[in-house]
Amino acid sequence: MRIFFAGAIVLWTLALGDVFARGVLQDSVTEVSKEAVPVKKQWFEAIQLRGYAQLRYNGLFETNPNLQCAQCDRSWGGDGGGFFFRRIRMIFFGQIHERVYMYIQPDFASGGNNFAQIRDAYFDIGLDEKQEFRIRIGQSKVPFGFENLQSSQNRIPLDRADGLNSAVFNERDIGAFLYYAPTEIRKRFSSLVSSGLKGSGDYGVFGFGLYNGQTANLPERNKNLHMVARVSYPWELPSGQFIEASFQGYTGKYVITRNPQTDFDQTEFDDFRYGPSFILYPQPFGIQAEYNWGRGPEFDPSTNDVVDAPTEGGYILASYMYRRGEQVMTPFMRYHYFKGGKKFEMDAMRHRVNEFEVGVEWQIIKALEITAMYTISDRTFENSLKPENRQKGSLLRLQAQVNF
């Protein structure tokens, strides 16, 4: 009996020893794993995706089908009509390195024919640890004008005003841009967008750049680079109200496309503009105003030639932002004026624009916005193919925007 009892004790001791040994081994492994160096994320794991799409219908209560604005919206006027995808944007972005930020944005509704085209493809390179100084290289927006820099996803009216948007076709070009803003102000620029206040994004307190000048997705046609500079500052008042003031200008030489019937002796023209911006953010009442002056090529119908001519134009926008739960209702009105040539159109088409718009943007949920806008317009747009062309009219324009 004693031999049996002693054997049982030996077996029990061996069993406990095995359990403790396994426990020590597991604890050791756990401790080693805690002290192991964490695996660093690969660059592709930092990339995110977002985007939006805009579907329009411009055929309601149209009084003059010859009233058009090809730069604004190719589905406006003409013999066409029907539903139209204005934009289908997919944005790939992310901090792929401590000092490198990537942003690539194709559009799948370019030119009105639903073909794909690059809108943005750039990289921000941080020059200091806080990235208050950074250089942006690639194709991106040229820092000229608040509304030009403001994303179409955030802008209230359906199209940008001719006065400043005629400066840079599609607002973009290939180049290198230096931006500076203190960390606190960079956060403020970001908040003015993320809070729904329709900010323009972070283009620095100061920006300076060199770019080709022929505008986005077009080949460079001379060896002369354009130069741009901009200063902008958003103030927060004691009441919590935000205001922003900017001043910008650019200069360079632009090569136009001419009708073979006109004089080909000159295709390169001086191209420069400058002007201020003022924004009172809608909290709830808002005012946005911009104007610019300059010189550039413009078609002259009296001589059937393109000449160097002054250009000017701008707009004023008033809005009221009403929030109720997740819904945001923003009624608005805008007047804009433009006198000058559009250098990127045939013969630097001569334009005279007086336009008034009134409408409302309704954000039903963050993923869906509906905009209705009534436009009353008086537009002159003339070149060698249409030397006398003034059109007046009005129409109701509708848009559904999906955000994701």
Side-chain angles (χ1 to χ4, degrees):
M1 184 68 179
R2 283 180 295 179
I3 294 174
F4 176 79
F5 184 73
I9 292 176
V10 169
L11 290 174
W12 183 63
T13 304
L14 290 174
L16 285 178
D18 182 60
V19 171
F20 289 146
R22 281 187 281 116
V24 171
L25 179 60
Q26 290 171 351
D27 288 344
S28 300
V29 172
T30 304
E31 192 64 31
V32 170
S33 66
K34 287 180 180 179
E35 295 178 355
V37 177
V39 178
K40 187 176 181 180
K41 281 188 176 182
Q42 297 295 318
W43 65 269
F44 51 82
E45 295 180 287
I47 295 177
Q48 301 179 62
L49 171 66
R50 62 179 176 86
Y52 65 101
Q54 295 174 340
L55 181 69
R56 292 187 182 177
Y57 186 78
N58 292 318
L60 290 176
F61 309 116
E62 184 181 50
T63 62
N64 180 3
N66 294 319
L67 175 66
Q68 298 173 287
C69 179
Q71 180 190 0
C72 307
D73 185 340
R74 293 182 186 277
S75 67
W76 175 2
D79 297 326
F83 292 104
F84 178 85
F85 269 121
R86 180 64 177 89
R87 293 174 179 88
I88 306 175
R89 301 283 173 89
M90 302 282 284
I91 304 165
F92 303 87
F93 66 100
Q95 196 76 35
I96 60 175
H97 182 272
E98 294 176 355
R99 295 288 184 93
V100 181
Y101 175 82
M102 182 200 79
Y103 189 100
I104 296 177
Q105 178 180 216
D107 185 6
F108 296 93
S110 296
N113 296 315
N114 294 344
F115 66 85
Q117 189 179 70
I118 288 294
R119 278 294 179 260
D120 296 281
Y122 66 78
F123 302 88
D124 282 355
I125 302 171
L127 301 182
D128 61 295
E129 186 176 346
K130 294 182 178 181
Q131 300 194 51
E132 294 182 335
F133 289 90
R134 57 204 158 97
I135 291 180
R136 177 168 295 178
I137 55 175
Q139 180 165 296
S140 66
K141 287 186 176 180
V142 175
F144 183 83
F146 179 89
E147 191 181 61
N148 284 351
L149 297 177
Q150 189 180 38
S151 170
S152 298
Q153 186 178 19
N154 299 325
R155 189 183 63 251
I156 304 174
L158 296 187
D159 300 305
R160 294 179 173 91
D162 298 67
L164 277 86
N165 197 225
S166 55
V168 187
F169 185 57
N170 286 328
E171 307 87 50
R172 297 163 170 87
D173 209 332
I174 297 179
F177 304 90
L178 170 67
Y179 293 113
Y180 163 73
T183 301
E184 179 185 354
I185 303 304
R186 291 201 66 186
K187 291 179 180 178
R188 187 173 299 173
F189 279 130
S190 177
S191 175
L192 289 170
V193 175
S194 61
S195 64
L197 291 179
K198 311 293 186 181
S200 66
D202 182 4
Y203 291 86
V205 169
F206 173 75
F208 173 82
L210 298 172
Y211 60 102
N212 284 343
Q214 291 297 132
T215 70
N217 300 317
L218 294 174
E220 177 65 347
R221 299 175 64 183
N222 59 22
K223 297 184 182 296
N224 183 282
L225 294 176
H226 274 54
M227 179 172 61
V228 64
R230 180 176 186 258
V231 291
S232 184
Y233 196 87
W235 285 272
E236 182 178 8
L237 303 181
S239 63
Q241 175 74 52
F242 289 100
I243 60 172
E244 184 174 344
S246 314
F247 194 88
Q248 53 262 314
Y250 75 84
T251 183
K253 292 183 179 295
Y254 189 88
V255 179
I256 67 169
T257 299
R258 303 186 68 147
N259 185 335
Q261 298 177 3
T262 63
D263 186 357
F264 266 69
D265 289 343
Q266 185 179 9
T267 58
E268 184 177 85
F269 289 83
D270 288 335
D271 175 31
F272 71 88
R273 297 195 189 187
Y274 60 91
S277 306
F278 174 80
I279 294 85
L280 173 71
Y281 283 93
Q283 297 172 279
F285 178 72
I287 291 287
Q288 187 174 311
E290 299 188 84
Y291 207 85
N292 75 150
W293 301 264
R295 296 191 72 88
E298 179 185 321
F299 178 74
D300 182 354
S302 65
T303 61
N304 195 39
D305 198 6
V306 181
V307 298
D308 175 78
T311 182
E312 63 175 303
Y315 68 91
I316 182 168
L317 166 72
S319 63
Y320 186 90
M321 186 174 288
Y322 172 73
R323 299 176 183 266
R324 184 175 182 178
E326 194 175 359
Q327 298 188 45
V328 183
M329 190 82 71
T330 309
F332 66 91
M333 61 178 64
R334 181 178 71 173
Y335 170 76
H336 62 104
Y337 165 80
F338 175 54
K339 175 184 177 183
K342 290 191 177 180
K343 58 193 176 186
F344 41 80
E345 296 181 345
M346 176 70 73
D347 295 330
M349 184 176 281
R350 176 180 182 266
H351 284 261
R352 301 292 185 266
V353 178
N354 282 279
E355 195 162 88
F356 177 76
E357 300 152 324
V358 59
V360 60
E361 178 191 87
W362 179 23
Q363 184 183 91
I364 304 171
I365 55 177
K366 286 190 176 181
L368 178 63
E369 299 174 13
I370 304 295
T371 301
M373 186 175 83
Y374 190 73
T375 299
I376 304 170
S377 186
D378 179 355
R379 286 178 172 267
T380 298
F381 41 110
E382 301 171 332
N383 61 11
S384 58
L385 301 177
K386 293 182 177 180
E388 295 184 9
N389 186 35
R390 181 179 181 181
Q391 304 293 338
K392 299 180 181 180
S394 59
L395 71 161
L396 179 64
R397 308 176 64 197
L398 304 174
Q399 174 179 282
Q401 176 174 299
V402 176
N403 307 306
F404 57 90

